[in-house]
Amino acid sequence: MSSFVIEGGTRLSGEITPQGAKNEALQILCAVLLTSEPITINKVPDIRDVNKLIELLADMGVEVTHLGGESYKFCAKDVNIDYLETQEFRTKASSLRGSIMILGPLLARFGKGKISKPGGDKIGRRRLDTHFLGFQKLGARFLYEAETGMYHIDASDLKGTYMLLDEASVTGTANILMAAVLAKGKTTIYNAACEPYLQQLSKMLNRMGAKITGVGSNLLHIEGVEGLAGTEHTMLPDMIEIGSFIGMAAMTQSEITIKDCQIKELGLIPETFRRLGVQMEFRGDDIYIPAQEHYEIETFIDGSIMTIADSIWPGLTPDLLSIVLVMATQAKGTVLVHQKMFESRLFFVDKLIDMGAQIILCDPHRATVIGLDRVQKLKGIRMTSPDIRAGQALLIAALSAEGTSVIDNVEQIDRGYQNIDGRLNALGAKIERIE
């Protein structure tokens, strides 16, 4: 297990380019299973979860060619469906949350599939009902094998239908969408997720020959087609990384330019950080953040305490609430952070309290942060990263703290952020990775 040793209190400066979007990559990579023709994907992030999915696809018989840099070519001409019966597949798939999205393409193209209960972050319950109910409405039949934890699915006769999703699940919508593009007839998905990453998947599938309309809305129409062709696709920059860098710049009083942010795809993210007092300037698709001695949280118009809450798109992504929370500890003012979607994602605040932050954990979903306005700085401690997003928030806290911090279990951070220590050290951070 690796750890980061961070010497805090150093101001950073320079330019940093966000990686390709992790959450988009997991969808796009699974979509290569929909065709026997080659697909080239650019700006693939070099992170643990994505690399594990690429490895799983290769084990299934997908020909994977690294073209250099962040570009790969995939050819799923000779997929070995029998591999799904192996213990190796069961082990690898269960360790990776994104593996659930191979199901839609497998059911669409091969008429059957198997999957074990996927793993991932320990951030609360993340049910699969939306995925499975959608497949069932398309005509798939399920068998759950309790002794092995495997789901067996027969999808030999998928037919288009109307469905109203019980939740606007991003991965659920992506999975159902990929199953529907090759189903017979027309499928309508209402209450569909409409995140930019879902839009990216839809646009890629349309370039491959799918017939999807309503892209960008919560009402998707899919006309099933006989087959799909190859294509080339480029990922969006990771909006979570962009938000993390904005929060990091404010916390560490740093002057940073975040390059190629595709600002029009960021939704409420820039405005949310502005409401927390962060100054920023858009320069084309770059975001320039000046060094700030202080930043002040706005109040609502009536003077009441600001509440920052997550919501389905186009609301604020839940993946950034940990960043909002940690940077609020050094702001002037008070904010209530309301994490609606996952009941365990705020449990890292005890580590921030140990560092000197003033936070009241109201319940598993809400925390009130009383900003210290840098009058009392955080102090370095030893801590463990519980999940990807909390780990990045703790890293930002450590960079701003007085003294030395140690973060254990940084493999969790590596799952979502490529070479984060090297990239931040290039800006002047003092992070050492130890085994």
Side-chain angles (χ1 to χ4, degrees), residues 48-97:
R48 189 175 295 255
D49 277 9
V50 169
N51 292 337
K52 286 173 70 174
L53 182 55
I54 292 173
E55 181 183 319
L56 180 64
L57 292 171
D59 291 339
M60 293 172 63
V62 177
E63 183 181 333
V64 180
T65 306
H66 187 198
L67 302 177
E70 300 173 308
S71 297
Y72 286 80
K73 183 171 74 173
F74 299 86
C75 187
K77 184 179 180 180
D78 298 310
V79 176
N80 178 17
I81 293 296
D82 292 337
Y83 178 70
L84 305 182
E85 306 291 337
T86 66
Q87 178 61 45
E88 179 180 308
F89 169 75
R90 188 180 308 162
T91 300
K92 288 188 175 183
S94 63
S95 68
L96 178 64
R97 182 76 190 179

Side-chain angles (χ1 to χ4, degrees), residues 37-293:
E37 297 187 17
I39 293 178
T40 299
I41 304 178
N42 304 310
K43 207 167 174 60
V44 178
D46 181 14
I47 55 177
R48 189 175 295 255
D49 277 9
V50 169
N51 292 337
K52 286 173 70 174
L53 182 55
I54 292 173
E55 181 183 319
L56 180 64
L57 292 171
D59 291 339
M60 293 172 63
V62 177
E63 183 181 333
V64 180
T65 306
H66 187 198
L67 302 177
E70 300 173 308
S71 297
Y72 286 80
K73 183 171 74 173
F74 299 86
C75 187
K77 184 179 180 180
D78 298 310
V79 176
N80 178 17
I81 293 296
D82 292 337
Y83 178 70
L84 305 182
E85 306 291 337
T86 66
Q87 178 61 45
E88 179 180 308
F89 169 75
R90 188 180 308 162
T91 300
K92 288 188 175 183
S94 63
S95 68
L96 178 64
R97 182 76 190 179
S99 66
I100 186 64
M101 284 183 289
I102 69 172
L103 260 190
L106 290 176
L107 300 184
R109 185 172 164 206
F110 301 102
K112 61 181 178 179
K114 290 182 69 172
I115 195 73
S116 59
K117 189 175 181 180
D121 285 333
K122 294 176 173 58
I123 59 175
R125 291 165 290 183
R126 305 168 86 180
R127 47 192 193 87
L128 302 176
D129 303 51
T130 303
H131 302 247
F132 290 176
L133 289 171
F135 293 148
Q136 287 175 330
K137 288 177 180 177
L138 290 171
R141 295 184 295 276
F142 278 73
L143 174 66
Y144 178 61
E145 195 174 82
E147 58 269 24
T148 62
M150 294 291 290
Y151 294 93
H152 302 251
I153 307 102
D154 173 15
S156 52
D157 189 25
L158 292 185
K159 294 179 179 177
T161 187
Y162 171 88
M163 64 181 79
L164 174 60
L165 302 187
D166 61 337
E167 64 169 345
S169 164
V170 177
T171 55
T173 302
N175 227 346
I176 297 165
L177 180 65
M178 288 188 282
V181 291
L182 296 179
K184 297 173 184 175
K186 180 178 179 179
T187 300
T188 297
I189 307 174
Y190 197 16
N191 195 30
C194 54
E195 271 78 355
Y197 304 147
L198 215 297
Q199 297 175 41
Q200 285 280 96
L201 174 65
S202 299
K203 292 172 184 176
M204 171 182 164
L205 293 174
N206 280 343
R207 290 196 304 273
M208 294 168 67
K211 295 180 179 178
I212 305 167
T213 57
V215 177
S217 77
N218 69 345
L219 182 61
L220 296 176
H221 300 284
I222 306 102
E223 291 282 354
V225 296
E226 289 294 323
L228 296 175
T231 190
E232 183 169 355
H233 180 79
T234 299
M235 307 280 187
L236 288 175
D238 195 302
M239 67 171 71
I240 313 306
E241 214 180 45
I242 293 169
S244 299
F245 294 151
I246 294 172
M248 178 188 71
M251 277 284 281
T252 58
Q253 301 171 277
S254 300
E255 182 181 1
I256 292 174
T257 298
I258 310 170
K259 303 291 290 182
D260 189 22
C261 294
Q262 298 290 307
I263 293 169
K264 64 182 175 61
E265 305 289 355
L266 295 179
L268 286 175
I269 291 172
E271 181 59 27
T272 298
F273 283 101
R274 280 197 172 113
R275 297 182 85 177
L276 294 167
V278 182
Q279 298 172 20
M280 64 186 80
E281 179 184 324
F282 295 160
R283 298 177 174 177
D285 261 334
D286 299 344
I287 299 177
Y288 168 74
I289 303 159
Q292 290 182 241
E293 295 300 319

Side-chain angles (χ1 to χ4, degrees), residues 376-397:
Q376 178 184 329
K377 293 187 177 180
L378 301 182
K379 62 179 185 295
I381 63 168
R382 185 163 201 142
M383 45 197 160
T384 298
S385 172
D387 64 70
I388 300 173
R389 307 309 179 188
Q392 179 71 350
L394 293 175
L395 177 57
I396 292 171

Side-chain angles (χ1 to χ4, degrees), residues 216-375:
S217 77
N218 69 345
L219 182 61
L220 296 176
H221 300 284
I222 306 102
E223 291 282 354
V225 296
E226 289 294 323
L228 296 175
T231 190
E232 183 169 355
H233 180 79
T234 299
M235 307 280 187
L236 288 175
D238 195 302
M239 67 171 71
I240 313 306
E241 214 180 45
I242 293 169
S244 299
F245 294 151
I246 294 172
M248 178 188 71
M251 277 284 281
T252 58
Q253 301 171 277
S254 300
E255 182 181 1
I256 292 174
T257 298
I258 310 170
K259 303 291 290 182
D260 189 22
C261 294
Q262 298 290 307
I263 293 169
K264 64 182 175 61
E265 305 289 355
L266 295 179
L268 286 175
I269 291 172
E271 181 59 27
T272 298
F273 283 101
R274 280 197 172 113
R275 297 182 85 177
L276 294 167
V278 182
Q279 298 172 20
M280 64 186 80
E281 179 184 324
F282 295 160
R283 298 177 174 177
D285 261 334
D286 299 344
I287 299 177
Y288 168 74
I289 303 159
Q292 290 182 241
E293 295 300 319
H294 301 277
Y295 50 98
E296 183 173 354
I297 300 169
E298 291 181 3
T299 60
F300 286 120
I301 293 173
D302 64 359
S304 58
I305 292 173
M306 176 65 63
T307 297
I308 303 292
D310 60 338
S311 181
I312 58 173
W313 188 268
L316 182 67
T317 171
D319 287 344
L320 277 176
L321 283 193
S322 57
I323 306 299
V324 167
L325 192 150
V326 74
M327 64 165 290
T329 64
Q330 289 299 308
K332 180 180 180 181
T334 300
V335 65
L336 174 65
V337 176
H338 189 176
Q339 167 62 267
K340 298 176 183 177
M341 295 189 186
F342 304 108
E343 69 268 23
S344 302
R345 235 179 188 170
L346 297 182
F347 288 168
F348 75 101
V349 301
D350 60 330
K351 300 171 179 62
L352 296 177
I353 293 170
D354 289 344
M355 297 178 80
Q358 293 188 358
I359 304 172
I360 301 167
L361 186 60
C362 309
D363 56 44
H365 291 276
R366 295 176 303 161
T368 300
V369 186
I370 299 94
L372 300 171
D373 194 23
R374 305 197 198 278
V375 173

